[in-house]
Amino acid sequence: MILPDESETRAFGQRLAALLRPGDVVTLRGPLGVGKTALARAILQALGHEGDVPSPSFAIVQPYEDLSPPVWHVDLFRIEDHGELEELGLDAAADGVLLVEWPEKAGTGLWPQALALTLDFAADGARSLTANVPSSWQGRWPPP
């Protein structure tokens, strides 16, 4: 899928937000500056968050527990050892949604049922989006 500009990325995030269920994990891969946080912002805003959506690069975990379902926005860019993940308490988000940037820092197999999205740079400032869609997303993917 090609997202030609930031407004299309925002629109895709809105459509995706409508499909989220408690327990979902959405991983966001891609190089720096490709739009992972912009997509996460669009999802959070579509779910009703009205304030700022800072990048969780320094906090690592930014919870949005007032949303339905609650969302934890996670950025693992600064994680250097898989053991650090236990300290984040991500299992407490089991009744909510995890949006995880830089999931590769967690190693393989941590979220086998995650909707794994990859963004990459495309021509003319566009972004290409590819998805690895698990069985838990059957009937929900692709977003309308």
Side-chain angles (χ1 to χ4, degrees):
M1 169 185 310
I2 297 295
L3 302 170
D5 55 33
E6 192 169 337
S7 68
E8 284 298 316
T9 299
R10 202 170 23 260
F12 172 77
Q14 291 169 347
R15 294 190 309 272
L16 181 58
L19 303 175
L20 293 173
R21 298 178 184 161
D24 280 343
V25 177
V26 178
T27 61
L28 304 169
R29 295 177 188 261
L32 282 170
V34 77
K36 297 178 297 292
T37 301
L39 180 55
R41 279 188 186 114
I43 292 168
L44 290 162
Q45 291 166 344
L47 290 172
H49 182 72
E50 294 180 3
D52 287 337
V53 178
S55 171
S57 293
F58 294 103
I60 301 178
V61 177
Q62 183 68 46
Y64 295 89
E65 294 177 344
D66 58 326
L67 300 178
S68 182
V71 177
W72 286 30
H73 183 191
V74 181
D75 186 328
L76 300 178
F77 183 73
R78 296 186 314 122
I79 295 294
E80 295 180 10
D81 182 270
H82 300 158
E84 295 177 68
L85 293 173
E86 290 180 27
E87 298 173 21
L88 299 178
L90 298 179
D91 54 336
D95 293 334
V97 171
L98 279 177
L99 298 178
V100 183
E101 296 185 44
W102 299 97
E104 59 273 22
K105 295 285 196 155
T108 59
L110 186 58
W111 297 293
Q113 286 298 310
L115 175 63
L117 303 179
T118 301
L119 289 162
D120 211 342
F121 295 104
D124 299 323
R127 304 298 191 257
S128 68
L129 183 138
T130 56
N132 184 350
V133 183
S135 60
S136 61
W137 276 81
Q138 249 182 347
R140 292 191 282 165
W141 186 265

